[in-house]
Amino acid sequence: MKSIVLIIVGFLIALFGIITLFMSTAVIFGLFDIREKEGNYVLFVVIANFICAFLYLAAAYGFFTKKLWTTMVLNIAFGILVIPFIGLGIHIYSGGIYEQKTVYAMMFRTLVTIGFLLISLKYISKENIKIIN
């Protein structure tokens, strides 16, 4: 059962990473008119998402291969998301332009990352700790 969960989560996080990479790259580099469709995007949030896309893809590999470092990679992704989330709050508070969907997307992305992190803690880290002890 544990292996099935890890494979499913691996595919989900890989899909999440690919979508994140596509969307953030399209906004940063102005591809496919997505930048215009996004409206008043906040660049540092998009850059953080771009960086996290690579971390999600690495974590997907970690889920497939049950690597202990998967939890660390997701912790880093979580930290990378929290910092711009705080920055977004400051940006909004200081009167910066933004889209409300950016706030919802950051909340969603942060919660999904926490979910992947908790699954990693439960199914990978504990298993490897048992092997080490």
Side-chain angles (χ1 to χ4, degrees), residues 1-121:
M1 180 64 174
K2 198 181 302 186
S3 293
I4 293 171
V5 170
L6 292 175
I7 290 170
I8 291 170
V9 172
F11 278 115
L12 289 175
I13 197 167
L15 180 64
F16 194 61
I18 291 167
I19 291 169
T20 300
L21 183 61
F22 173 77
M23 292 300 292
S24 59
T25 302
V27 171
I28 291 169
F29 297 110
L31 306 173
F32 312 111
D33 296 325
I34 291 177
R35 183 185 288 177
E36 291 76 22
K37 292 175 186 169
E38 289 301 312
N40 297 316
Y41 64 92
V42 181
L43 185 59
F44 64 84
V45 170
V46 178
I47 291 171
N49 291 339
F50 178 76
I51 294 166
C52 283
F54 292 101
L55 296 173
Y56 294 142
L57 294 173
Y61 174 77
F63 273 108
F64 290 130
T65 58
K66 300 178 186 174
K67 299 292 185 186
L68 186 59
W69 50 257
T70 306
T71 303
M72 182 184 62
V73 167
L74 290 169
N75 271 318
I76 293 168
F78 175 70
I80 288 173
L81 288 173
V82 167
I83 293 167
F85 208 169
I86 293 167
L88 180 62
I90 294 167
H91 176 78
I92 293 167
Y93 184 74
S94 65
I97 57 173
Y98 71 101
E99 297 286 338
Q100 187 64 38
K101 65 183 175 182
T102 302
V103 177
Y104 295 138
M106 283 298 288
M107 288 172 31
F108 174 76
R109 180 173 304 285
T110 304
L111 290 174
V112 167
T113 302
I114 291 169
F116 288 138
L117 176 59
L118 292 174
I119 292 168
S120 173
L121 282 168

